């Protein structure tokens, strides 16, 4: 086979219209063979003899998109020193931009013989291994424009490609569960109705299904088991054509961008699917194990594991770091995604032992002209010592705020002594982020995510019900900070159903009206249930997919209306933390930017904050001084708001503040529905909050009905509904 010297950069397989350049890094290799496969699976091998800076490379004319390939690396198999080369194993290119097939966990995929980890397996793995695909890099992006939505205007929707679309009745059956399904107009219309500005997709990098799950008839549904950092997962493509998943993914991004929706990827750069020392040899393990993986200093046969998955990427090695950075730039530039959410991000900061926010990984991102300008979201923890790092990531990062989740859950389930922290969390968590010169948008606020109960289950179960996972209900979090509203699981009790419906509205309204960036977990606005399973990672079934036909319509409408309220009022999406500064009102009176009230209408005292009782509190948000623009770009000044929260099991009557705050107030949100027909309330009047409910009042404005932007009527009517999706027995 004809081969030319080619170039050492870029790494991977790069088609230029005439042929393909192949380049792969391995410092430990003694010989590298490029393996090309025709349509019948026949393998042809060609040695890469050109080596520059440990990059083995060559250019093969007439190799075009759709061609399958892999590598065989000859070198030491010396596990005691961390080397695991085995040329009998076909290896997936770490830079492969598309992947064909999936592994079947055949014995040949392992470099040792089962039952003897010190042996050497000479079985050839080519028939059982995944293969890289040369892709067509050209795509018609004409008309595409990244939305570049500012953080303070963002509403994020976390979703799974398959779970979002597999049961959608308006998506054609052949497109369900695919990138094309996500791009379907009916799915996009739903996101737009909710005011979603960014779709955060659970892992779409090529991943591997675990053998332990397959043996149980289950699968790795979530996808946190990456093997290809450049390739869109092939099972999410609606076509079986080799390499077409790249084109389909790009088309999805383009469609979402046209709708004003950004695409954020949940990326797993902390480990790979090759697992621990007993795992298969699929890619990097056989290419240069010592370079790509973090090994135990005292015995390099074993892998350092900060992730609970068997291995950790070696972020101390410049070539491993290059792999991650090249992957990020590829997705941002070539695939045009708008940001990344980093799974177990603390692992990426462990250059030595402790988490170090000055590590090489963060320094590289800081200076990178591309990656430093996209949305960067950290899951700020891992399972290693000192791994919980909420509030400690560098200034340009935002974080999943786990403390927000825990505190808001505690508050609404009536946990005592949570009031002070609740106030801090809904006002932007300045205690976590202000010290590093960050702003409220550093806090990605969430109540639920893929990991844990759905919102419906959060108010329906006290205990996890994970028996379907085949681990005797031992997997998943046991401390969920949930409350079942009086009955565990499905019920026909109308009082319990009313409480559950109200609690879901409480969580949604709190989330959307807190300072920071709200993130909704897919299907929560539709009443999605997993029947109490809080660890659906292995459940690729109707248990985890959104059941669109059983959607909770009133809850969906409520969510959309509160999101609209947030979008219309910059008071709920401040760009700076509250600092107590005085703002002049219309009559010359000066009031602080935020003030907290007890039920009697007076400012909260230290004793009230510290009271060990079920919580209720009022919050004044001063809209004066919060300037924005309308749709025509004209400057507008926002109105002030009162937010009342009552987590007590009894009704609480609040006295509205004096007229220096406002003469009249309109109820615009009432999660209990009791304020549906209430006229404007005068200063000093009283308003009764039903037990476990939330109410939002806006400074009164005399406007004609036809131009009133208030969502009060629809919110109140929907809040009065106790309808839910049909209760399904677990």
């Amino acid at each position: 086979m004809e081969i030319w010297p080619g170039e050492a950069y870029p790494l991977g397989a790069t088609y230029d219209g005439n042929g393909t350049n192949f380049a792969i890094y391995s410092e430990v290799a003694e010989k590298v063979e490029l393996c090309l496969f025709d349509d019948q699976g026949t393998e042809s091998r060609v040695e890469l003899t050109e080596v520059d800076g440990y990059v083995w490379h060559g250019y093969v004319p007439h190799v075009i998109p759709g061609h399958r390939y892999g590598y065989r690396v000859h070198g030491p198999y010396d596990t005691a020193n961390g080397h695991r080369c085995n040329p009998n194993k076909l290896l997936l290119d770490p830079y492969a931009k598309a992947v064909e097939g999936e592994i079947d966990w055949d014995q040949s995929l392992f470099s040792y013989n089962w039952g003897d980890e010190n042996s050497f397996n000479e079985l050839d793995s080519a028939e059982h291994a995944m293969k890289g695909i040369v892709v067509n890099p050209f795509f018609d992006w004409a008309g595409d424009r990244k939305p570049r939505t500012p953080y303070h205007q963002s509403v994020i929707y976390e979703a799974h490609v398959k779970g979002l679309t597999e049961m959608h009745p308006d998506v054609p059956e052949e497109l369900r569960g695919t990138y094309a399904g996500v791009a379907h107009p009916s799915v996009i219309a739903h996101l737009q109705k909710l005011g979603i500005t960014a779709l955060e997709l659970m892992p779409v990098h090529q991943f591997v299904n675990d053998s332990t799950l397959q043996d149980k008839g289950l699968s790795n549904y979530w996808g946190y088991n990456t093997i290809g950092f450049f390739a869109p997962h092939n099972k999410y493509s609606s076509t079986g054509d080799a390499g077409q998943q790249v084109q389909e993914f790009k088309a999805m991004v383009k469609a979402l961008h046209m709708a004003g929706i950004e695409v954020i990827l949940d990326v797993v750069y902390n480990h790979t699917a090759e697992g621990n020392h007993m795992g298969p040899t699929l890619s990097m393990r056989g290419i240069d194990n010592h370079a790509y993986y973090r090994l135990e200093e005292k015995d390099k046969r074993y892998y350092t594991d900060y992730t609970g998955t068997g291995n950790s990427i070696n972020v101390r090695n410049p070539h491993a770091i290059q792999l991650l950075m090249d992957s990020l730039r590829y997705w941002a530039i070539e695939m045009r995604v708008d940001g990344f959410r980093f799974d177990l991000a603390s692992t990426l900061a462990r250059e030595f032992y402790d988490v170090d926010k000055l590590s090489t990984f963060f320094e590289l991102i800081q200076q990178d002209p591309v990656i430093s300008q996209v949305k960067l979201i950290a899951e700020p923890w891992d399972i290693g010592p000192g791994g919980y790092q909420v509030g400690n990531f560098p200034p340009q990062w935002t974080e999943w705020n786990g403390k927000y989740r825990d505190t808001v859950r505690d508050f609404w389930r009536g946990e005592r002594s949570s009031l002070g922290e609740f106030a801090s969390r809904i006002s932007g968590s300045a205690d976590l982020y202000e010290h590093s010169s960050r702003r409220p948008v550093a806090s990605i606020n969430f109540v639920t995510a893929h990991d844990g109960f759905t919102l419906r289950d959060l108010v329906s179960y006290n205990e996890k019900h994970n028996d379907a996972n085949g681990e005797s209900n031992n997997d998943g979090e046991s401390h969920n900070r949930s409350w079942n509203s009086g009955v565990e699981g499905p019920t026909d009790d109308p009082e319990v159903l009313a409480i559950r419906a109200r609690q879901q509205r409480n969580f949604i309204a709190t989330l959307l009206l807190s300072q920071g960036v709200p993130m909704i977990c897919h299907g929560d606005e539709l009443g999605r249930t997993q029947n109490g399973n809080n660890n659906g990672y292995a459940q690729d079934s109707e248990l985890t997919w959104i059941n669109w036909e059983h959607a909770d319509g009133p809850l969906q409408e409520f969510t959309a209306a509160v999101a609209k309220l947030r979008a219309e009022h910059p008071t709920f999406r401040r760009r700076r933390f509250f600092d107590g500064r005085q703002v002049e009102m219309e009559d010359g009176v000066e009031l602080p930017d935020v003030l907290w009230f007890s039920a009697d209408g007076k400012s909260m005292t230290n004793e009230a904050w510290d009271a060990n009782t079920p919580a209720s509190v009022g919050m004044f948000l001063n809209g004066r001084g919060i300037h924005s623009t309308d749709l025509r770009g004209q400057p507008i000044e926002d109105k002030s708001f009162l937010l009342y929260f009552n987590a007590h099991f009894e009704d609480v009557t609040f006295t509205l503040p004096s007229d220096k705050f406002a003469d009249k107030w309109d109820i615009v949100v009432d999660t209990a529905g009791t304020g549906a027909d209430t006229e404007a309330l005068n200063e000093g009047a009283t308003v009764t909050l039903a037990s476990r409910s939330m109410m939002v009042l806006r400074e009164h404005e005399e406007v004609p009905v036809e131009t009133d932007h208030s969502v009060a009527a629809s919110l109140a009517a929907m809040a009065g509904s106790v309808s839910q999706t049909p209760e399904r027995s677990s």
Side-chain angles (χ1 to χ4, degrees):
M1 180 177 294
E2 184 179 10
I3 183 169
W4 302 346
E7 302 290 341
Y9 185 87
L11 291 165
T14 306
Y15 174 68
D16 64 4
N18 294 307
T20 301
N21 189 81
F22 294 90
I24 183 172
Y25 158 78
S26 177
E27 184 172 349
V28 72
E30 297 166 358
K31 183 173 81 170
V32 174
E33 292 178 299
L34 170 67
C35 307
L36 298 170
F37 296 84
D38 62 20
D39 291 341
Q40 287 71 45
T42 302
E43 178 182 353
S44 300
R45 302 184 191 181
V46 56
E47 183 178 349
L48 300 180
T49 58
E50 299 291 328
V51 188
D52 293 297
Y54 302 117
V55 176
W56 305 68
H57 56 89
Y59 181 93
V60 185
H62 311 304
V63 169
I64 63 175
H67 216 117
R68 289 88 167 163
Y69 75 100
Y71 291 101
R72 296 181 186 272
V73 175
H74 300 254
Y77 189 83
D78 180 5
T79 59
N81 288 303
H83 303 309
R84 294 177 178 267
C85 295
N86 185 340
N88 301 295
K89 310 307 168 188
L90 183 74
L91 304 175
L92 182 68
D93 180 3
Y95 281 75
K97 297 180 178 66
V99 174
E100 181 182 68
E102 56 186 342
I103 64 171
D104 58 6
W105 295 97
D106 186 77
Q107 165 77 80
S108 64
L109 295 168
F110 296 78
S111 282
Y112 65 93
N113 297 307
W114 289 342
D116 182 6
E117 64 178 274
N118 296 315
S119 61
F120 184 76
N121 184 320
E122 296 183 353
L123 294 174
D124 192 289
S125 68
E127 291 187 9
H128 305 275
M130 293 181 289
K131 299 173 180 65
I133 304 174
V134 178
V135 303
N136 180 359
F138 308 110
F139 180 79
D140 183 9
W141 286 105
D144 179 69
R145 184 177 181 182
K146 289 190 174 185
R148 301 190 186 280
T149 307
Y151 268 120
H152 71 282
Q153 295 178 3
S154 296
V155 179
I156 298 173
Y157 191 83
E158 186 198 29
H160 187 283
V161 169
K162 188 172 185 180
L164 179 65
T165 62
E166 184 67 19
M167 298 182 69
H168 199 299
D170 296 331
V171 175
E173 187 171 350
E174 66 273 14
L175 300 183
R176 294 176 187 175
T178 71
Y179 306 119
V182 174
H184 192 271
S186 61
V187 175
I188 291 178
H190 176 74
L191 299 176
Q192 290 178 311
K193 180 176 182 177
L194 297 177
I196 301 303
T197 68
L199 181 63
E200 182 178 304
L201 292 175
M202 291 174 65
V204 298
H205 288 173
Q206 186 70 43
F207 61 85
V208 169
N209 279 318
D210 310 65
S211 61
T212 54
L213 294 178
Q214 289 186 0
D215 292 343
K216 298 176 184 177
L218 303 173
S219 65
N220 191 321
Y221 170 65
W222 285 351
Y224 291 93
N225 204 24
T226 304
I227 194 62
F229 293 131
F230 289 76
H233 188 60
N234 51 27
K235 292 297 183 181
Y236 296 156
S237 175
S238 63
T239 172
D241 295 340
Q244 286 304 303
Q245 58 262 44
V246 177
Q247 301 292 315
E248 187 173 331
F249 185 93
K250 289 179 177 179
M252 176 195 71
V253 172
K254 185 176 180 180
L256 288 165
H257 282 178
M258 290 183 66
I261 299 172
E262 295 181 309
V263 178
I264 298 172
L265 300 187
D266 189 340
V267 290
V268 188
Y269 290 123
N270 51 72
H271 76 281
T272 78
E274 290 186 292
N276 62 17
H277 64 288
M278 302 294 287
T281 298
L282 306 176
S283 181
M284 289 182 276
R285 169 172 283 144
I287 295 171
D288 197 326
N289 184 65
H290 192 277
Y292 281 117
Y293 293 116
R294 187 79 172 264
L295 306 178
E296 289 292 292
E297 295 293 340
K298 295 181 179 179
D299 191 341
K300 289 183 170 56
R301 289 179 299 172
Y302 303 111
Y303 295 79
T304 302
D305 182 10
Y306 294 122
T307 64
T309 59
N311 64 54
S312 302
I313 291 292
N314 185 12
V315 292
R316 296 184 294 185
N317 184 280
H319 295 280
I321 282 285
Q322 180 187 358
L323 172 70
L324 306 189
M325 294 303 298
D326 286 348
S327 170
L328 289 169
R329 279 190 290 269
Y330 174 76
W331 287 95
I333 297 172
E334 297 297 328
M335 307 295 266
R336 298 206 180 187
V337 303
D338 305 278
F340 305 93
R341 178 265 188 189
F342 293 80
D343 177 66
L344 300 181
S346 292
T347 299
L348 300 173
R350 293 184 184 273
E351 279 195 357
F352 295 99
Y353 180 76
D354 294 329
V355 177
D356 180 7
K357 69 179 181 180
L358 299 178
S359 68
T360 301
F361 179 71
F362 290 133
E363 290 177 349
L364 288 173
I365 284 183
Q366 174 70 41
Q367 60 80 40
D368 190 282
V370 174
I371 304 307
S372 64
Q373 299 306 305
V374 302
K375 287 183 167 65
L376 300 171
I377 304 172
E379 182 184 34
W381 50 76
D382 64 16
I383 68 168
Y388 191 78
Q389 292 290 321
V390 173
N392 291 328
F393 273 70
Q396 79 271 37
W397 287 71
T398 63
E399 301 174 12
W400 271 26
N401 190 344
K403 292 186 177 181
Y404 178 96
R405 172 200 60 203
D406 296 345
T407 301
V408 171
R409 287 186 179 194
D410 279 347
F411 176 83
W412 282 117
R413 70 188 178 114
E415 189 73 9
R416 299 177 185 273
S417 300
S418 65
L419 185 56
E421 187 167 5
F422 175 75
S424 178
R425 298 295 155 250
I426 66 173
S427 57
S429 295
D431 58 322
L432 299 178
Y433 304 113
E434 194 171 23
H435 68 88
S436 56
S437 299
R438 287 191 278 178
R439 296 184 176 183
V441 294
S443 177
I444 305 298
N445 298 329
F446 68 105
V447 175
T448 58
H450 66 272
D451 189 1
F453 281 144
T454 67
L455 183 61
R456 169 84 171 267
D457 290 353
L458 186 67
V459 302
S460 304
Y461 294 90
N462 284 351
E463 309 295 336
K464 63 184 180 182
H465 296 264
N466 297 353
D467 295 298
N469 295 351
E471 300 181 45
S472 302
N473 205 36
N474 291 318
D475 62 301
E477 177 61 59
S478 296
H479 183 45
N480 294 285
R481 291 183 162 89
S482 61
W483 178 54
N484 63 15
S485 309
V487 176
E488 185 75 358
T491 182
D492 295 325
D493 188 322
E495 292 186 7
V496 174
L497 291 176
I499 293 174
R500 290 178 179 178
R502 189 184 308 168
Q503 287 284 69
Q504 290 177 82
R505 292 191 291 267
N506 289 336
F507 280 118
I508 286 172
T510 302
L511 175 65
L512 288 171
L513 301 181
S514 293
Q515 304 300 322
V517 180
M519 185 186 79
I520 300 170
C521 182
H522 79 186
D524 277 353
E525 78 285 1
L526 303 171
R528 184 174 75 91
T529 178
Q530 292 181 172
N531 294 338
N533 190 317
N534 73 351
N535 191 29
Y537 79 104
Q539 299 295 328
D540 187 1
S541 67
E542 292 187 17
L543 182 70
T544 52
W545 306 335
I546 294 178
N547 189 327
W548 292 87
E549 293 186 350
H550 289 169
D552 186 337
L555 184 61
Q556 178 185 358
E557 297 299 325
F558 179 86
T559 305
V562 179
K564 182 173 183 287
L565 182 67
R566 172 189 173 84
E568 291 179 344
H569 294 283
T571 296
F572 296 115
R573 38 188 176 84
R574 295 172 58 93
R575 290 182 290 176
R576 292 175 176 80
F577 288 110
F578 297 111
D579 57 12
R581 69 182 185 279
Q582 299 292 311
V583 180
E584 185 173 331
M585 310 299 282
E586 287 182 351
D587 54 6
V589 175
E590 290 189 342
L591 291 173
D593 51 8
V594 65
L595 199 62
W596 302 89
F597 295 105
S598 55
D600 59 7
K602 297 179 181 179
S603 296
M604 289 284 286
T605 63
N606 290 336
E607 292 76 14
W609 284 117
D610 296 335
N612 190 27
T613 58
S616 60
V617 67
M619 180 185 190
F620 168 72
L621 293 176
N622 195 334
R624 296 294 187 269
I626 305 295
H627 297 283
S628 186
T629 58
D630 61 18
L631 296 177
R632 293 171 295 179
Q634 299 299 311
I636 56 174
E637 187 174 60
D638 206 6
K639 294 294 182 180
S640 296
F641 286 84
L642 291 171
L643 281 68
Y644 288 118
F645 305 88
N646 178 26
H648 203 290
F649 56 82
E650 295 179 342
D651 296 354
V652 172
T653 298
F654 282 85
T655 299
L656 302 186
S658 65
D659 58 1
K660 69 179 181 179
F661 292 87
D663 293 330
K664 292 183 177 182
W665 297 91
D666 295 316
I667 298 175
V668 293
V669 177
D670 178 11
T671 62
T674 56
D677 300 320
T678 304
E679 298 292 334
L681 301 173
N682 294 321
E683 53 85 20
T686 59
V687 59
T688 299
L689 261 70
S691 63
R692 302 185 179 91
S693 72
M694 175 181 170
M695 187 177 288
V696 180
L697 294 86
R698 187 185 61 192
E699 182 182 355
H700 181 67
E701 181 179 14
E702 297 290 348
V703 292
V705 174
E706 63 270 20
T707 61
D708 185 8
H709 291 166
S710 169
V711 293
S714 58
L715 283 171
M718 287 180 282
S721 169
V722 299
S723 67
Q724 291 195 332
T725 57
E727 293 278 0
R728 289 187 289 164
S729 173
S730 59

